Amino acid sequence: MTAMAHAVEIKDLHKSFGELEVLKGIDFTVDQGQVVCVIGPSGSGKSTLLRCVNLLEQPTKGTVRVGGVELTDPDVDIDAARRRLGMVFQSFNLFPHMTALQNVMIAQRRVLKRGSGEAERVARANLEKVGVADKCDVYPAQLSGGQQQRVAIARALAMDPDLMLFDEPTSALDPELVGDVLSVMRDLARDGMTMLVVTHEMGFAREVADRVVFMDGGVIVEEGPADQVIGDPRHARTRTFLSRVLDPTHAGDEPGAGSAPADAGPGS
């Protein structure tokens, strides 16, 4: 019996921006139906790793396989491969001149070539799934940040992805709006969606993740079950990071704390 391919398989992944080496040989896998949360300080390479998974960033070296298909193969049909991936960014990236419904329909029409009726049916179903069914005819400027992010999740889900990638999906939200987005993500996890999530939400990671990966300096420092990595970390660097995140009053105890902004560009 042939073993099932990993949902995601990354081997010896490197990424440099000029002289700056952001990823320094990353190896890890995500299995079908798993939720893996990637945590770490700004500049550790988390977002770059995520962007390499769907080749929004071209790796300098190494391989990325999704569902057994090597995305880093020069001959791969990258557009076809990307159709299996849903991506939710920090910013919502909604078209401001389109309603929520139209935002969720457009990629279905243009990429999947669905007819208008089917695209609308799928869009309405996914907007209902994320709790904004009553906002179908509303434009992004009239939505809260949390509502816009939920529309962005619905847009990704409408493409029927095998894997969802989340790049700090709550970092741009006001604190009182974070819970609604995390609730949607919890529901997706319960439904068995395979998810790779870059996040600073430690409570969410501990509750939902099958595994947590802690990155720093472009390498994986520690990974394992959420309760172990977050609740009882083995590596001193992980403990220092978590003490800073879970008790911000001691942020100054970490060398260099506060020196890199949350949107620190390549490597964040």
Side-chain angles (χ1 to χ4, degrees):
M1 183 175 178
T2 303
M4 184 179 294
H6 296 294
V8 180
E9 184 176 11
I10 295 173
K11 290 187 177 180
D12 195 30
L13 186 66
H14 293 251
K15 176 61 182 177
S16 296
F17 296 93
E19 296 296 315
L20 177 63
E21 188 177 21
V22 174
L23 300 178
K24 304 174 182 178
I26 301 294
D27 295 278
F28 81 101
T29 61
V30 180
D31 287 331
Q32 194 68 37
Q34 276 194 332
V35 178
V36 175
C37 286
V38 184
I39 64 173
S42 296
S44 60
K46 309 182 302 296
S47 293
T48 299
L49 169 63
L50 206 66
R51 293 172 68 86
C52 283
V53 170
N54 64 1
L55 262 60
L56 287 176
E57 298 289 356
Q58 185 68 40
T60 305
K61 177 186 174 185
T63 59
V64 175
R65 294 179 182 273
V66 175
V69 176
E70 184 185 338
L71 272 62
T72 41
D73 183 339
D75 296 325
V76 74
D77 183 344
I78 188 60
D79 290 332
R82 280 195 183 126
R83 288 172 199 161
R84 305 172 64 187
L85 308 176
M87 181 89 179
V88 178
F89 300 89
Q90 297 178 35
S91 54
F92 320 122
N93 295 335
L94 299 178
F95 292 110
H97 63 290
M98 294 183 178
T99 65
L101 183 66
Q102 291 168 334
N103 265 282
V104 181
M105 288 177 61
I106 185 169
Q108 297 184 67
R109 298 292 312 279
R110 295 190 177 180
V111 178
L112 300 183
K113 307 302 181 185
R114 285 176 177 160
S116 177
E118 183 184 7
E120 180 174 345
R121 177 184 60 78
V122 172
R124 288 185 182 278
N126 281 289
L127 287 166
E128 181 175 3
K129 179 182 286 189
V130 301
V132 288
D134 59 332
K135 304 297 182 182
C136 285
D137 298 322
V138 176
Y139 290 89
Q142 301 166 294
L143 298 173
S144 70
Q147 290 168 338
Q148 290 186 62
Q149 191 62 293
R150 284 184 279 163
V151 172
I153 294 172
R155 176 181 57 189
L157 291 174
M159 303 297 285
D160 298 328
D162 297 325
L163 169 69
M164 286 286 287
L165 307 173
F166 291 88
D167 186 6
E168 299 189 26
T170 61
S171 66
L173 302 180
D174 291 334
E176 66 269 23
L177 303 177
V178 168
D180 290 339
V181 172
L182 293 181
S183 178
V184 170
M185 294 171 67
R186 287 187 187 94
D187 289 344
L188 292 177
R190 279 193 286 267
D191 289 343
M193 175 63 73
T194 308
M195 298 162 59
L196 183 56
V197 184
V198 170
T199 185
H200 288 297
E201 302 289 344
M202 296 302 122
F204 172 82
R206 191 165 190 173
E207 175 189 350
V208 177
D210 297 291
R211 286 191 5 259
V212 170
V213 174
F214 172 65
M215 288 183 64
D216 189 32
V219 301
I220 293 176
V221 176
E222 184 169 355
E223 67 174 306
D227 281 344
Q228 182 258 300
V229 175
I230 297 177
D232 187 22
R234 296 171 183 168
H235 197 285
R237 181 65 187 91
T238 315
R239 291 194 294 272
T240 301
F241 169 77
L242 288 170
S243 68
R244 178 190 175 193
V245 171
L246 299 175
D247 185 4
T249 60
H250 290 89
D253 295 346
E254 181 182 350
S259 60
D263 56 349
S268 64

